[in-house]
Amino acid sequence: MGGRTPLLVLTFSLAVLSIKLGISHGCRETERKALIDFKRGLHDPSNRLSSWVGEDCCAWEGVGCSNISGHVIKLDLRNSRRMDPWALRGDITPSLPSLQQLNRLDLSGNYFMHKPIPKFLGAFRRLTYLNLSGAGFMGRVPAQLGNLSTLQHLDLSYNCYWDDEVENSGWISLLTSLRHLNMTWVSFTNAANWLQDLNALPHVQEIELISCDLGTFPRSLSHVNFTSLTTLDLRGNYINSTIPDWVFNITSLEFLYLGGNDLHGFFPDSVTKLTSLKALDLSGTQLSGSFPDWLGNIKNLKSLDLSSNSLCGSVPASIGNLSLLQHLSLGSNDLNGTISKGIGQLKSLVDLDLHENSLSLSEDDLANLSSLEYLDISYNFIELNKSDDWIPPFQLQSLSMDFCQIGPTPQFPQWLRTQTTLRQLQLSSAGIKDMFFDRLPSSLEYLDLSYNSLHGSLPASLGNLSMLRSLDLGSNNLNGMFPESIKRLKGLRDLDLYNNSFSGNLSPRITNTMPSLQWFDLSMNNMSGEIPFSYCQLRNLEGLQLYENNLSRVIPNCWKTSSNLLLLDLSSNKLVGGVPDSLCNLQMLESLHLSHNNLSGQIPHCLKSCTELATLDLGHNNFIGNIPTWIGESLLYLKTLSLRSNAFTDMWLFIKGSELEYTTRQLSMDTLIDLSNNYLSGNIPEELGNLHGLRSLNLSKNYLIGQIPWSIGRMKQLEVLDLSRNNLSGAIPSDLAALNFLNHLNLSYNNLSGRIPNGNQLQTFTDSSIYAGNPNLCGPPLTKNCTLNIAKAGEEEQNEDSSKSRMETLWLYTSITLGFIIGFWAICGSLLLQQTWRTSYFRAIDNMFDKLYVMMVVTVAKYKRKL
Ligand SMILES: *[C@@H]1O[C@H](CO)[C@@H](O)[C@H](O)[C@H]1NC(C)=O
Ligand SMILES: *[C@@H]1O[C@H](CO)[C@@H](O)[C@H](O)[C@H]1NC(C)=O
Ligand SMILES: *[C@@H]1O[C@H](CO)[C@@H](O)[C@H](O)[C@H]1NC(C)=O
Ligand SMILES: *[C@@H]1O[C@H](CO)[C@@H](O)[C@H](O)[C@H]1NC(C)=O
Ligand SMILES: *[C@@H]1O[C@H](CO)[C@@H](O)[C@H](O)[C@H]1NC(C)=O
Ligand SMILES: *[C@@H]1O[C@H](CO)[C@@H](O)[C@H](O)[C@H]1NC(C)=O
Ligand SMILES: *[C@@H]1O[C@H](CO)[C@@H](O)[C@H](O)[C@H]1NC(C)=O
Ligand SMILES: *[C@@H]1O[C@H](CO)[C@@H](O)[C@H](O)[C@H]1NC(C)=O
Ligand SMILES: *[C@@H]1O[C@H](CO)[C@@H](O)[C@H](O)[C@H]1NC(C)=O
Ligand SMILES: *[C@@H]1O[C@H](CO)[C@@H](O)[C@H](O)[C@H]1NC(C)=O
Ligand SMILES: *[C@@H]1O[C@H](CO)[C@@H](O)[C@H](O)[C@H]1NC(C)=O
């Protein structure tokens, strides 16, 4: 008997083993087939599904089976890298619902070819998690999803912008197990009942409906059912109302994001009912009135964003009670007064953004902010009232003081030297009259000291800033030659030295020691000698601007096909000889400026291979021969061609006038530029007028200064012009009256002055609100009469010469490219974004990416709304 026991045990063990093996090897055949079928419907450029072979589908990448039943319960093919070849592309085959036990399906970040979300997904009766975020779906979201009564997480966000829509949100109310809902970018235009339907979800904790065109905020709700709701994110929905009371009955709320809506009225004090609130975002709404005193009562707040509203008066001391506050953004309001008693007490503050107010700060006010890492006080006043040896309690990562008025004398704050973690310093246009501060921290990666009055030569200590990626010293009074130490800036990508008085020969050194250089601007200086051969070898260079110097000799003939150059501007120098053939190797070139030199010969025929060219400016040289006809045929993207003042013989082209420009048929992408609600600063470039085909130009809600360029009068096709809410000054150009197609104009809330021009098209604009908020404008349709003085003042300002700056030029290119991207986005193509980016100049201004991205979303929204 005893001898048989082991055998029995062994037999039993084998049996158990075989059961186990049987299950783990034998994934269900129907399910295996369904998966194989699913794979067949997909294009898989990176071979992510290479493990999908053999019998045991449970061992395949992304597939998970139940230990007990052996059924496939999980399919996770998320592509978290997004926008790259890692994405699977194709269709979801109808056999997929054979995976009847599936409870988790994640296909996010792949690309389903602008097809609608399949109805049969409603058949996964056990699904608890469905993630189709960023997966290129387009069209109506199927009501069949309402069958997923066990669903807890539903993420349909970031598919084709507003091309996904919910026709009737009734099905959402059936998802009674739902806890997390994200339908960002899905249009709810035709789902008027959205609130009632959401209110039927008793367990929902997080609702994210960003940019869903909700449009309205139902005023009333009979009973607030959301007792578990912690996050309500309704940003960017153009909700035009006051904030309804029911929101403040959701006492479980911890995160309330309502920014980017047209919410108006005074600040609702019911917010204090939300005692659990940790984050409140009401940025970019239209709240007005004084800064609410009672905000200091929301004790748990960690993040408060009230930027871009019309709050006025001072920041009350009670805000100092928010002892947990880490992020505070009050930028772009009309706040004034001091901050010492309130904000100055917030010891936990990490991120403080006060930009564009009229606040008076002092170094004293900052003396208690020991956690501070990000500080933006641009467009305010700061008094340097500590002694030079003051050591602040904080270590900043980023400091922005652009357009700050620094008192009592405009100089560098001496404590900058103590900020050993500082990576970004923006001190543009701060009126600093000083030498280059040679004790800047070596941690700096981004340094902008442009538009000041820095003088003297660059110190050798510049080379200590070896982490620098971007250096902008443009528009100062710097002189001399570059210090030898500049070659230590090995990681530099963007070097801007325009509009100074640097002299000497162009250094070949740059190319040898700065292999990463992408943007190099040394225009408007006194550089002489020739353009070194080595400049052709900068592989990563995208923009080379050397205009307005004294460069002589010939353009080097060494340009390579491997070059990434997009912009080459050598105009206004003393260059001689012809256009070298090797320039034709610059296949990426979009903009070539060689005007105002002594160049001669014929325009090389091979230039027709630079098919990306949008601007070709060869004016004011001695070119001869016929105007090449291939220009119009090969350069399909060409928008501006200037051949003015040369010795061409083909006379008929001059018929159009002295400035020869011809616009090609390829204008469609440029018909709409909407850069509203952005961070654009500086002047509107005169060159904008060159975009003849433009139909709609919206630059509202930016920080633009200077005058409205006269060249706008040249944009004869313009139908919509919105420059409201900027800081534009001077008179309104009378040429506006000549824009015969103009049917929408808004110049409100600027600082324009003088008489409103009349005549022609302008006479049809009788609504005075389009000029509101410009106290110095006069004449009809305003009731204010023009006294002689006001009218004159405006005209004089207008005559001031607006100086051409690199900012303006860059800005122009940015707008062109954006025009393109916007057109592209309207057709929807999130996955291809990366590629579009390549053809743009944005990489030179790296950290603008996010802002532009956000802006584009907003822009497209507005564009669509118009349609
Ligand atoms: C299934 O087995 C794996 C590995 O043996 C284990 O990590 C997991 O927790 C099990 N799951 C269940 C639901 O038992
Ligand atoms: C869905 O997937 C994306 C990544 O593609 C992820 O960021 C997101 O958090 C997921 N959603 C949910 C609800 O888990
Ligand atoms: C799912 O829902 C639709 C409509 O909501 C319904 O007609 C259908 O019978 C349901 N069942 C399945 C399996 O799709
Ligand atoms: C969608 O919202 C949920 C919260 O409901 C969040 O967890 C998820 O990360 C969001 N998805 C994306 C892609 O951001
Ligand atoms: C609130 O939820 C209950 C069930 O939890 C439901 O009967 C009721 O209709 C809901 N109220 C609203 C207004 O949807
Ligand atoms: C909100 O709460 C108040 C009491 O604080 C109550 O009278 C009111 O009916 C509630 N409103 C809704 C919509 O639930
Ligand atoms: C909001 O709605 C009112 C009328 O209901 C309208 O007069 C106003 O122009 C709207 N505001 C915006 C920003 O659309
Ligand atoms: C809040 O701040 C105000 C003004 O600083 C102060 O008078 C008040 O006592 C504070 N309240 C609490 C609860 O700390
Ligand atoms: C602040 O602005 C208000 C108007 O918004 C004005 O009445 C007040 O005098 C200003 N205070 C200071 C200190 O400038
Ligand atoms: C800094 O904190 C100390 C102690 O809490 C306080 O006495 C002082 O007034 C504060 N200074 C400022 C500028 O807020
Ligand atoms: C403006 O001037 C006209 C005559 O030039 C005069 O009749 C009118 O009363 C004036 N209006 C104001 C508001 O001064």
Side-chain angles (χ1 to χ4, degrees):
M1 235 0 221
R4 285 172 64 186
T5 311
L7 186 63
L8 198 68
V9 170
L10 184 66
T11 315
F12 182 68
S13 308
L14 273 178
V16 169
L17 194 66
S18 66
I19 289 168
K20 272 200 169 165
L21 288 178
I23 287 169
S24 57
H25 271 296
C27 96
R28 313 255 162 163
E29 186 57 15
T30 46
E31 299 189 339
R32 197 183 68 87
K33 281 208 173 113
L35 287 169
I36 286 290
D37 204 38
F38 175 65
K39 178 184 176 183
R40 210 173 282 139
L42 295 174
H43 178 54
D44 177 14
S46 310
N47 255 326
R48 287 175 60 200
L49 303 183
S50 58
S51 67
W52 284 34
V53 289
E55 293 303 307
D56 186 9
C57 69
C58 296
W60 295 355
E61 181 72 32
V63 179
C65 294
S66 158
N67 291 355
I68 298 152
S69 67
H71 279 292
V72 173
I73 55 173
K74 185 186 90 172
L75 187 55
D76 179 359
L77 296 175
R78 174 186 295 193
N79 165 24
S80 31
R81 302 189 201 181
R82 294 203 176 188
M83 299 188 207
D84 69 8
W86 204 247
L88 305 167
R89 295 160 164 258
D91 282 338
I92 302 182
T93 46
S95 54
L96 200 64
S98 304
L99 309 174
Q100 282 181 8
Q101 305 287 319
L102 205 64
N103 65 43
R104 192 180 167 91
L105 178 60
D106 188 344
L107 299 175
S108 63
N110 293 296
Y111 184 51
F112 294 96
M113 318 294 280
H114 300 173
K115 298 274 172 52
I117 295 172
K119 295 180 176 142
F120 54 72
L121 293 189
F124 292 116
R125 287 309 176 81
R126 293 172 188 247
L127 217 54
T128 59
Y129 180 98
L130 177 59
N131 194 341
L132 303 179
S133 169
F137 287 107
M138 184 160 127
R140 188 173 307 161
V141 179
Q144 280 77 1
L145 294 186
N147 290 348
L148 303 175
S149 57
T150 54
L151 206 58
Q152 297 183 5
H153 301 261
L154 177 59
D155 194 340
L156 305 180
S157 61
Y158 303 107
N159 279 286
C160 285
Y161 194 66
W162 281 11
D163 283 320
D164 294 80
E165 61 162 349
V166 170
E167 199 170 60
N168 175 339
S169 52
W171 60 270
I172 296 180
S173 66
L174 305 175
L175 303 173
T176 46
S177 309
L178 208 62
R179 278 149 176 80
H180 308 273
L181 175 67
N182 194 340
M183 294 183 66
T184 293
W185 286 16
V186 176
S187 169
F188 276 67
T189 319
N190 298 316
N193 252 350
W194 61 271
L195 182 63
Q196 279 79 1
D197 292 331
L198 292 178
N199 194 33
L201 305 176
H203 305 296
V204 73
Q205 294 165 8
E206 295 183 285
I207 296 177
E208 284 193 30
L209 298 174
I210 306 172
S211 294
C212 293
D213 200 22
L214 296 176
T216 62
F217 229 151
R219 298 296 318 145
S220 60
L221 190 61
S222 52
H223 175 71
V224 171
N225 257 1
F226 315 109
T227 46
S228 315
L229 196 65
T230 58
T231 303
L232 181 60
D233 191 343
L234 303 179
R235 283 176 290 178
N237 275 300
Y238 301 99
I239 297 174
N240 178 3
S241 70
T242 55
I243 305 178
D245 277 344
W246 57 259
V247 172
F248 307 114
N249 276 23
I250 313 176
T251 48
S252 51
L253 272 182
E254 293 175 20
F255 304 91
L256 177 58
Y257 305 106
L258 298 175
N261 283 299
D262 294 330
L263 299 171
H264 45 79
F266 291 104
F267 208 100
D269 61 357
S270 329
V271 170
T272 50
K273 284 163 71 181
L274 302 177
T275 49
S276 309
L277 211 57
K278 291 183 183 151
L280 177 62
D281 175 358
L282 289 169
S283 64
T285 57
Q286 298 183 19
L287 299 175
S288 55
S290 57
F291 193 97
D293 198 22
W294 42 258
L295 260 180
N297 296 337
I298 312 178
K299 288 282 178 340
N300 292 314
L301 267 191
K302 285 189 171 159
S303 172
L304 176 61
D305 188 348
L306 302 176
S307 58
S308 300
N309 279 289
S310 304
L311 300 173
C312 60
S314 58
V315 183
S318 59
I319 200 171
N321 291 351
L322 298 176
S323 56
L324 301 179
L325 204 62
Q326 295 178 354
H327 306 277
L328 177 60
S329 185
L330 303 177
S332 281
N333 279 289
D334 300 319
L335 300 168
N336 63 12
T338 59
I339 64 160
S340 56
K341 296 238 168 50
I343 297 173
Q345 314 290 327
L346 297 171
K347 293 199 165 69
S348 308
L349 216 52
V350 174
D351 181 359
L352 176 59
D353 178 3
L354 301 174
H355 81 269
E356 233 196 324
N357 281 289
S358 301
L359 294 164
S360 302
L361 298 97
S362 70
E363 286 172 329
D364 266 335
D365 298 336
L366 306 176
N368 276 350
L369 304 181
S370 49
S371 310
L372 208 58
E373 292 178 23
Y374 302 88
L375 178 60
D376 186 348
I377 54 173
S378 310
Y379 295 86
N380 283 291
F381 311 93
I382 183 159
E383 189 188 355
L384 309 181
N385 58 357
K386 291 281 196 188
S387 64
D388 281 357
D389 54 9
W390 179 52
I391 299 176
F394 47 75
Q395 283 291 341
L396 296 180
Q397 306 234 20
S398 166
L399 172 62
S400 302
M401 291 175 62
D402 292 340
F403 290 92
C404 228
Q405 288 185 30
I406 301 177
T409 47
Q411 61 182 33
F412 287 97
Q414 294 297 310
W415 50 265
L416 284 176
R417 70 181 190 285
T418 67
Q419 300 299 299
T420 55
T421 57
L422 194 65
R423 289 188 290 141
Q424 173 157 348
L425 175 59
Q426 285 181 247
L427 259 171
S428 174
S429 309
I432 295 179
K433 294 191 175 63
D434 208 341
M435 309 275 280
F436 185 89
F437 186 60
D438 65 358
R439 299 181 68 185
L440 287 170
S442 57
S443 50
L444 277 173
E445 292 171 19
Y446 182 99
L447 176 60
D448 184 356
L449 302 176
S450 59
Y451 294 91
N452 283 294
S453 302
L454 303 183
H455 52 86
S457 53
L458 290 176
S461 63
L462 183 65
N464 297 345
L465 307 178
S466 57
M467 308 290 283
L468 271 188
R469 296 200 298 158
S470 171
L471 174 63
D472 191 347
L473 300 175
S475 284
N476 279 290
N477 303 322
L478 295 164
N479 59 28
M481 309 224 277
F482 303 134
E484 184 73 17
S485 65
I486 204 168
K487 70 180 176 199
R488 301 220 304 269
L489 308 182
K490 288 193 168 52
L492 209 58
R493 292 206 219 153
D494 188 357
L495 178 56
D496 294 297
L497 304 170
Y498 55 90
N499 201 7
N500 278 289
S501 303
F502 290 114
S503 55
N505 287 340
L506 280 183
S507 162
R509 242 192 332 260
I510 300 272
T511 53
N512 304 337
T513 60
M514 295 179 192
S516 318
L517 206 62
Q518 288 180 358
W519 191 283
F520 183 33
D521 187 348
L522 191 49
S523 44
M524 296 188 276
N525 278 288
N526 299 323
M527 304 306 294
S528 51
E530 63 187 335
I531 301 170
F533 260 58
S534 56
Y535 277 39
C536 304
Q537 270 138 34
L538 283 165
R539 277 280 185 91
N540 292 310
L541 201 64
E542 295 180 2
L544 177 59
Q545 291 188 287
L546 300 173
Y547 64 84
E548 289 185 39
N549 277 290
N550 288 316
L551 301 171
S552 53
R553 317 252 186 100
V554 298
I555 301 173
N557 191 6
C558 52
W559 308 93
K560 305 256 179 358
T561 45
S562 56
S563 165
N564 283 312
L565 211 60
L566 302 170
L567 166 68
L568 179 60
D569 192 339
L570 306 176
S571 52
S572 300
N573 278 291
K574 297 186 173 129
L575 299 169
V576 296
V579 175
D581 280 352
S582 67
L583 264 188
C584 309
N585 290 335
L586 300 174
Q587 301 288 319
M588 314 275 281
L589 204 61
E590 290 175 25
S591 201
L592 176 62
H593 303 257
L594 300 175
S595 68
H596 295 90
N597 278 292
N598 295 321
L599 298 168
S600 54
Q602 302 210 5
I603 302 177
H605 193 257
C606 65
L607 215 54
K608 78 189 238 189
S609 64
C610 298
T611 51
E612 302 291 320
L613 271 178
T615 304
L616 180 57
D617 181 3
L618 304 176
H620 297 274
N621 280 294
N622 302 314
F623 290 116
I624 54 165
N626 292 342
I627 306 258
T629 48
W630 50 258
I631 286 183
E633 288 153 16
S634 304
L635 307 183
L636 293 180
Y637 297 104
L638 200 66
K639 304 228 172 47
T640 307
L641 172 68
S642 173
L643 303 175
R644 189 182 180 177
S645 297
N646 275 291
F648 291 111
T649 50
D650 206 335
M651 290 306 291
W652 65 269
L653 275 166
F654 287 85
I655 294 168
K656 280 190 182 170
S658 56
E659 183 80 41
L660 172 68
E661 282 149 343
Y662 74 82
T663 28
T664 69
R665 17 181 202 293
Q666 247 291 346
L667 269 176
S668 51
M669 66 172 60
D670 242 0
T671 54
L672 177 140
I673 289 184
D674 189 339
L675 296 168
S676 55
N677 213 346
N678 222 311
Y679 297 90
L680 299 174
S681 57
N683 294 5
I684 301 179
E686 195 72 37
E687 292 93 319
L688 200 65
N690 294 341
L691 303 176
H692 301 283
L694 210 63
R695 295 247 172 90
S696 169
L697 176 63
N698 189 346
L699 303 174
S700 63
K701 297 190 187 166
N702 279 291
Y703 307 110
L704 298 169
I705 55 171
Q707 295 155 8
I708 301 175
W710 289 82
S711 63
I712 279 192
R714 298 213 304 267
M715 303 162 79
K716 297 285 188 219
Q717 309 293 323
L718 215 54
E719 292 167 23
V720 175
L721 176 63
D722 191 344
L723 304 176
S724 61
R725 294 184 190 272
N726 280 289
N727 221 342
L728 298 167
S729 54
I732 300 173
S734 54
D735 293 24
L736 273 190
L739 300 177
N740 290 327
F741 295 116
L742 203 62
N743 58 41
H744 175 93
L745 175 70
N746 192 347
L747 302 176
S748 61
Y749 298 99
N750 279 290
N751 204 6
L752 298 166
S753 53
R755 186 189 298 278
I756 295 172
N758 49 20
N760 295 347
Q761 196 64 13
L762 282 189
Q763 220 136 26
T764 62
F765 295 110
T766 50
D767 174 6
S768 62
S769 72
I770 67 174
Y771 301 112
N774 293 287
N776 294 323
L777 277 179
C778 62
L782 299 180
T783 48
K784 188 172 180 179
N785 272 350
C786 286
T787 64
L788 211 55
N789 290 345
I790 298 184
K792 257 235 152 71
E795 272 149 33
E796 261 161 29
E797 251 182 88
Q798 184 70 57
N799 289 337
E800 268 175 37
D801 202 11
S802 71
S803 73
K804 187 178 168 193
S805 71
R806 179 249 164 161
M807 185 64 196
E808 292 169 350
T809 331
L810 172 64
W811 203 94
L812 174 66
Y813 300 127
T814 313
S815 5
I816 293 177
T817 320
L818 271 181
F820 168 61
I821 291 179
I822 288 161
F824 171 81
W825 265 68
I827 317 165
C828 161
S830 47
L831 269 159
L832 299 172
L833 188 63
Q834 193 88 328
Q835 257 179 355
T836 316
W837 233 229
R838 272 165 48 83
T839 62
S840 75
Y841 296 104
F842 299 142
R843 271 190 291 175
I845 31 173
D846 222 22
N847 71 337
M848 275 181 73
F849 182 92
D850 283 345
K851 289 176 186 170
L852 287 168
Y853 178 80
V854 169
M855 177 278 303
M856 270 174 10
V857 172
V858 173
T859 304
V860 178
K862 291 197 171 157
Y863 172 64
K864 290 212 157 180
R865 226 147 74 107
K866 280 193 197 99
L867 294 182

